[in-house]
Amino acid sequence: MDTLYLIIPCYNEEEVLPETSRQLKAKMLLLMEKRKISADSRIVFVNDGSKDKTWELIEALHKEDPIFQGVKLSRNKGHQNALLAGLMTVKKYCDMTISLDADLQDDINAIDEMIEKYYEGCDIVYGVRSTRDTDTVFKRKTAEGYYKVMRFLGADIVYNHADYRLMSRRALDGLESFEEVNLFLRGIVPMIGYKSDKVYYARKERFAGESKYPLKKMLAFAWEGLTSLSVKPIRMIMTIGSLIFLVSIIMLIYSVVRYATGATTVGWTSTVVSIWAIGGLQLLAIGIIGEYIGKVYLETKRRPKFIVEKYLCGEAREKHDKCDKDSFKNKQECTTEMD
Ligand code: UDP
Ligand code: MG
């Protein structure tokens, strides 16, 4: 039996945490009973710099039952970084992880099937939404369109898969070796390789609280994903640029011919229109190229993707981790049993 850790990023989720923790705990106990996962499996909430009582709730849960653990980030770093922080913190203690949202929009009954596939030898199992009935038409259409655009641009992402997935320890080691700062997990995970599979589930409604992804954040996230995974937009600019250059040569020949035959027109409109068109296009092109240069700038800085302030994982292990750090000093204490 292998050890499973559930990773749940939480940003201002005090409204959903009590119910989420109850349901997840029941699920874990059932899985333990069925001997699918070992008894030292855990549920880890990552507090992404919440402004409400989320962390206090996590602390209370941990006190009440050690099956709950908490990772506290030093500040809000966004869903992707919070997820990565959780995965990297627990990596060394488990055989597999499953990441899911705090609002239980991802059907937790898909977990059984994911674990099944893990035992069949998969290192990555993607949770894929079979329906998006609960999303608004707008969100559904834009999201589906986005997946298509991404694929067209050459990014290898799994259609209708968000961040509900199982990853083995080996896959997490692979993920760790991707050092990019511009993080878009669902684009990077398929690059890890290994045997993978999909599990389908119906996406539910958020049962309390509101989405932490307003349209503005969603657009920023989409743009981030696109530009960190594909260089096609830059190539497209080149294509458009050359096409326009070609058109201008044709125009030149055309006007020379017209001049030679003595049929010159005033041509004010076409001049003004083309100035604006070319000017706009140039600004757009510079903007897109600037975006990539900005990315390079951030990557060269190698800023940390997250900083963990605290890991609530039981005293024995805290001691063990501390020993890990200064193992020269107190070798004796390091033999503590882990919980
Ligand atoms: N989240 C986070 N940091 C943020 C924003 C969101 O950790 O800055 C978490 C949030 O708590 C939730 C998950 O990311 O567990 C998905 O967010 P949400 O359900 O609001 O997004 P939606 O389902 O509306 O796309
Ligand atoms: Mg949600």
Side-chain angles (χ1 to χ4, degrees):
M1 269 184 304
D2 285 353
T3 306
L4 167 72
Y5 270 52
L6 296 181
I7 307 294
I8 303 111
C10 308
Y11 177 58
N12 297 345
E13 297 287 11
E14 61 180 10
E15 280 161 287
V16 302
L17 264 186
E19 179 61 16
T20 302
S21 54
R22 196 185 60 75
Q23 287 194 27
L24 288 179
K25 182 175 162 184
K27 182 90 215 165
M28 291 291 268
L29 293 181
L30 203 68
L31 284 166
M32 286 176 194
E33 210 173 284
K34 286 201 233 156
R35 307 191 67 77
K36 298 277 182 212
I37 56 172
S38 71
D40 55 0
S41 296
R42 294 284 179 268
I43 301 167
V44 185
F45 295 106
V46 184
N47 178 36
D48 185 19
S50 300
K51 294 184 186 72
D52 63 0
K53 292 256 176 320
T54 301
W55 181 245
E56 282 78 0
L57 277 174
I58 297 171
E59 277 180 324
L61 283 168
H62 175 67
K63 217 174 211 168
E64 175 193 303
D65 188 337
I67 193 171
F68 297 110
Q69 297 188 338
V71 174
K72 186 183 187 193
L73 298 192
S74 59
R75 52 160 297 174
N76 179 259
K77 292 295 273 179
H79 175 233
Q80 299 287 293
N81 288 309
L83 193 55
L84 188 79
L87 294 174
M88 291 305 135
T89 308
V90 307
K91 188 167 69 85
K92 58 182 168 188
Y93 307 114
C94 61
D95 301 298
M96 56 179 146
T97 58
I98 293 180
S99 48
L100 65 167
D101 288 354
D103 54 9
L104 295 189
Q105 281 190 286
D106 308 319
D107 184 5
I108 60 170
N109 293 314
I111 291 179
D112 301 73
E113 213 182 316
M114 284 185 173
I115 295 173
E116 230 37 79
K117 303 245 185 218
Y118 166 80
Y119 285 120
E120 283 165 21
C122 287
D123 279 275
I124 302 171
V125 184
Y126 300 99
V128 177
R129 296 165 191 172
S130 51
T131 56
R132 301 183 75 121
D133 298 344
T134 54
D135 285 340
T136 58
V137 177
F138 176 73
K139 177 143 186 172
R140 192 164 69 226
K141 287 282 171 239
T142 47
E144 287 177 354
Y146 180 66
Y147 284 105
K148 289 193 181 130
V149 171
M150 288 291 276
R151 302 212 92 168
F152 169 73
L153 292 175
D156 180 20
I157 59 171
V158 179
Y159 190 67
N160 264 344
H161 156 72
D163 284 302
Y164 186 23
R165 74 176 84 80
L166 178 146
M167 288 180 82
S168 70
R169 185 174 177 158
R170 190 161 76 146
L172 290 173
D173 283 334
L175 179 64
E176 195 175 27
S177 60
F178 284 78
E179 293 189 341
E180 45 209 284
V181 177
N182 295 296
L183 198 66
F184 190 71
L185 284 175
R186 62 193 82 162
I188 293 174
V189 172
M191 290 187 210
I192 298 172
Y194 296 130
K195 185 174 167 195
S196 65
D197 208 339
K198 293 173 196 158
V199 161
Y200 294 87
Y201 69 95
R203 182 155 162 97
K204 295 192 223 161
E205 204 109 37
R206 182 181 251 278
F207 70 86
E210 54 198 40
S211 173
K212 308 295 180 288
Y213 264 103
L215 184 64
K216 199 174 143 211
K217 254 195 194 173
M218 225 167 75
L219 286 177
F221 182 56
W223 182 242
E224 172 74 13
L226 207 151
T227 49
S228 59
L229 284 176
S230 172
V231 288
K232 268 203 184 170
I234 289 191
R235 291 204 193 117
M236 271 154 62
I237 288 174
M238 266 166 61
T239 318
I240 296 172
S242 5
L243 280 178
I244 288 183
F245 184 64
L246 211 76
V247 171
S248 67
I249 291 194
I250 295 171
M251 293 271 279
L252 190 75
I253 297 171
Y254 174 73
S255 45
V256 169
V257 171
R258 292 278 287 190
Y259 180 74
T261 52
T264 33
T265 41
V266 184
W268 184 84
T269 319
S270 57
T271 314
V272 170
V273 167
S274 49
I275 288 173
W276 281 92
I278 302 284
L281 211 77
Q282 277 176 333
L283 280 182
L284 178 77
I286 293 172
I288 294 184
I289 293 168
E291 176 75 21
Y292 283 94
I293 295 178
K295 285 228 147 62
V296 172
Y297 173 66
L298 285 178
E299 294 290 352
T300 53
K301 276 189 185 302
R302 302 237 143 270
R303 284 188 185 149
K305 282 166 268 196
F306 56 84
I307 295 171
V308 173
E309 182 175 330
K310 193 169 170 54
Y311 180 24
L312 277 185
C313 55
E315 258 172 56
R317 189 184 292 155
E318 265 170 32
K319 209 167 180 180
H320 182 273
D321 277 356
K322 197 167 167 295
C323 289
D324 244 9
K325 274 188 210 135
D326 33 46
S327 52
F328 302 111
K329 282 186 240 156
N330 30 15
K331 273 210 173 78
Q332 286 298 306
E333 274 181 85
C334 293
T335 48
T336 5
E337 270 296 302
M338 282 205 281
D339 64 332

